[in-house]
Amino acid sequence: MPAIVVEGGRPLRGTVGVLGAKNAVLKEMAATLLAPGRHIISNVPAILDVELMGRVLGHMGAHTKLDGHELSVVIPDSLDPEAPIELVRAMRASIIVLGPLLARCGEARVALPGGDDLGARPIDFHLGGLEQMGAHFELVHGVLVGKCEGKLRGTEVELPFPSVGATENMLLAGTLADGETVIINAAREPEIEDLASMLCSMGAHIEGAGSAIIRITGVENLEPVRHGVIPDRLEAGTYAIAGAITGGDITVTSCVPSHLRMELLKLEETGCEVERGEGWMRIQGPERPKAVDFATLPFPGFHTDMHPQMVALLSVADGTSVITENLYDARFRYVGELLRMGADITTEWQHAVIRGVERLSGAPVLAHDIRAGAALVLAGLRADGVTVVGDAHHIDRGYEGFASKLAALGGAVEHRAE
Ligand code: EPU
């Protein structure tokens, strides 16, 4: 397994650019299934999850090719509507093909993803919504077999929680459905707006994406598209915290600061100076951050995928922070690794109390998921001595060239393919 090796103690300085959002491009790749022909998606990061989604589409008969940061996807006239367990296990986001496959083929065979390192992660809202649109599901030896007679039917779907994935599956399914689909209590994440904007360029009729009520009027056919992915706010936010935790001075370019409003506000509360402009932000970290409290919430609240990185910062803060995780029941697994580095953190169900320590000490630690891995690298930048973050393939799933970008900012960071 690859590892990222960090020698701490150097403030990071300079400019770093971010690429397209992982959590937009994966869904946009699934959206191409809705229209045969050649699609071009640009600003695509060369990360493991994009490769895995390429394999999922490939299994269905599509051809994908990433050239630099431009991805070409060729969708054939007829698809094999199946996502097998080895691919779904490798990347849970594969479940997003359910909506497009049912809409395009009237059938989908997708292995049930099960839980992952973040917890149980059920898909009942996805299935409930698609059932309301006329699909039937059966679980056959661990594979979800979905069918609909004729076209999916537009209807009103009220989500019990603004789930990102369920909103996206409804949105994708609704584009080719018969009549109007209304998603109530929809997720409002910028990635959903970007997906909707791509679907509109393909000929879909969508109103309200980015708000809690989305209306989709089904059309007969969609066309192949050329689309540029929005910047990855999580990549941008992670570099912002790299500046903060090292007391450095970092300018992040090709980003949208308004997508990180709450996270930047909290960084300011820790004592960071944050300047924002059109497509850029500058973060100057304090010598020692101040403690702050926060709770994770759907957009525009504090993003759960910025939580571990923020806790890495708060672990060296002056004072005690209390944080609440509202999205994932197993998100705190990385805390045990931070304890190995000398952090003082206690967790109780969905809360963590972080008593800031003056210094962290480098240690061998393991990345359990993408953001946990990023957080441990950030902690390593601040720690005395060497931190080896093992299982770094998790980090490679979401960040292109993480180690080399940090190294270009002056960090002693190296990616080892072990
Ligand atoms: N939920 C249900 N039932 C469902 C769907 C969701 O109970 O049918 C629950 C989940 O268990 C969770 C909450 O609702 O507690 C929110 O889950 P959501 O569906 O919004 O998340 P997701 O679509 O599975 C995406 C991102 C995650 C990100 C979340 C929240 C992708 C590929 N993944 O997941 O990103 O944490 O939204 O913003 O878009 C990451 O990039 O590291 C990552 C994990």
Side-chain angles (χ1 to χ4, degrees), residues 182-194:
V182 184
I183 312 171
I184 297 172
N185 198 22
R188 291 176 288 163
E189 269 66 6
E191 292 75 18
I192 291 172
E193 262 189 278
D194 196 49

Side-chain angles (χ1 to χ4, degrees), residues 83-106:
I85 185 64
E86 62 275 17
L87 294 175
V88 177
R89 259 214 191 109
M91 192 185 52
R92 204 184 168 284
S94 318
I95 198 70
I96 199 63
V97 298
L98 262 187
L101 288 179
L102 283 166
R104 212 11 249 286
C105 316

Side-chain angles (χ1 to χ4, degrees), residues 22-24 26-27 49 92-93 95 116 118 120-127 161-166 168 187 189 191 233-234 297-299 303-305 326-329 331 369-371:
K22 168 181 86 76
N23 291 346
L26 296 178
K27 323 309 169 59
D49 273 10
R92 204 184 168 284
I95 198 70
D116 67 1
L118 296 173
R121 301 186 75 181
I123 54 161
D124 48 338
F125 307 156
H126 302 238
L127 301 185
F161 182 88
S163 151
V164 172
E168 291 164 336
E189 269 66 6
E191 292 75 18
R233 60 194 163 116
L234 302 171
L297 285 169
F299 187 82
H303 201 313
T304 179
D305 292 339
N326 288 310
L327 276 293
Y328 295 123
D329 49 10
R331 173 115 259 179
D369 66 75
I370 306 176
R371 313 301 164 190

Side-chain angles (χ1 to χ4, degrees), residues 148-352:
C148 59
E149 276 110 53
K151 290 177 91 174
L152 288 168
R153 287 190 309 270
T155 186
E156 204 171 273
V157 176
E158 191 149 354
L159 294 175
F161 182 88
S163 151
V164 172
T167 302
E168 291 164 336
N169 248 329
M170 296 303 105
L171 184 58
L172 291 160
T175 56
L176 292 180
D178 214 358
E180 188 182 61
T181 304
V182 184
I183 312 171
I184 297 172
N185 198 22
R188 291 176 288 163
E189 269 66 6
E191 292 75 18
I192 291 172
E193 262 189 278
D194 196 49
L195 173 62
S197 128
M198 168 172 161
L199 289 167
C200 288
S201 305
M202 292 168 74
H205 292 178
I206 300 167
E207 276 172 39
S211 78
I213 299 182
I214 306 180
R215 292 176 191 279
I216 310 126
T217 309
V219 294
E220 281 302 316
N221 294 300
L222 294 173
E223 299 290 325
V225 74
R226 192 173 261 280
H227 177 77
V229 186
I230 52 160
D232 196 316
R233 60 194 163 116
L234 302 171
E235 191 191 8
T238 302
Y239 292 123
I241 297 184
I245 199 168
T246 59
D249 182 351
I250 288 185
T251 300
V252 185
T253 56
S254 320
C255 65
V256 183
S258 61
H259 290 170
L260 281 164
R261 234 181 231 126
M262 185 56 71
E263 294 78 5
L264 293 179
L265 207 73
K266 288 292 167 186
L267 276 181
E268 284 175 320
E269 280 182 35
T270 68
C272 287
E273 278 196 30
V274 182
E275 283 175 68
R276 306 150 173 86
E278 180 80 26
W280 64 272
M281 58 192 190
R282 178 178 175 194
I283 293 88
Q284 291 169 271
E287 209 161 284
R288 189 165 183 209
K290 288 187 274 212
V292 301
D293 301 340
F294 70 89
T296 63
L297 285 169
F299 187 82
F302 194 101
H303 201 313
T304 179
D305 292 339
M306 287 300 298
H307 145 180
Q309 302 90 312
M310 190 69 178
V311 168
L313 175 67
L314 298 178
S315 71
V316 291
D318 185 9
T320 298
S321 310
V322 179
I323 73 145
T324 304
E325 167 57 45
N326 288 310
L327 276 293
Y328 295 123
D329 49 10
R331 173 115 259 179
F332 283 125
R333 283 186 67 198
Y334 71 91
V335 165
E337 305 298 309
L338 276 181
L339 296 183
R340 306 196 71 240
M341 298 177 71
D344 181 353
I345 305 173
T346 46
T347 57
E348 178 77 40
W349 177 218
Q350 62 190 124
H351 306 288

Side-chain angles (χ1 to χ4, degrees), residues 6-9 241-242 245-246 308-309 311-313 315-316 337-338 341 343 359-362 365 372-385 387 389:
V6 191
E7 199 178 328
I241 297 184
I245 199 168
T246 59
Q309 302 90 312
V311 168
L313 175 67
S315 71
V316 291
E337 305 298 309
L338 276 181
M341 298 177 71
R359 48 179 51 86
L360 295 173
S361 111
V365 288
L376 292 168
V377 172
L378 298 185
L381 288 168
R382 173 81 182 210
D384 297 337
T387 299
V389 183

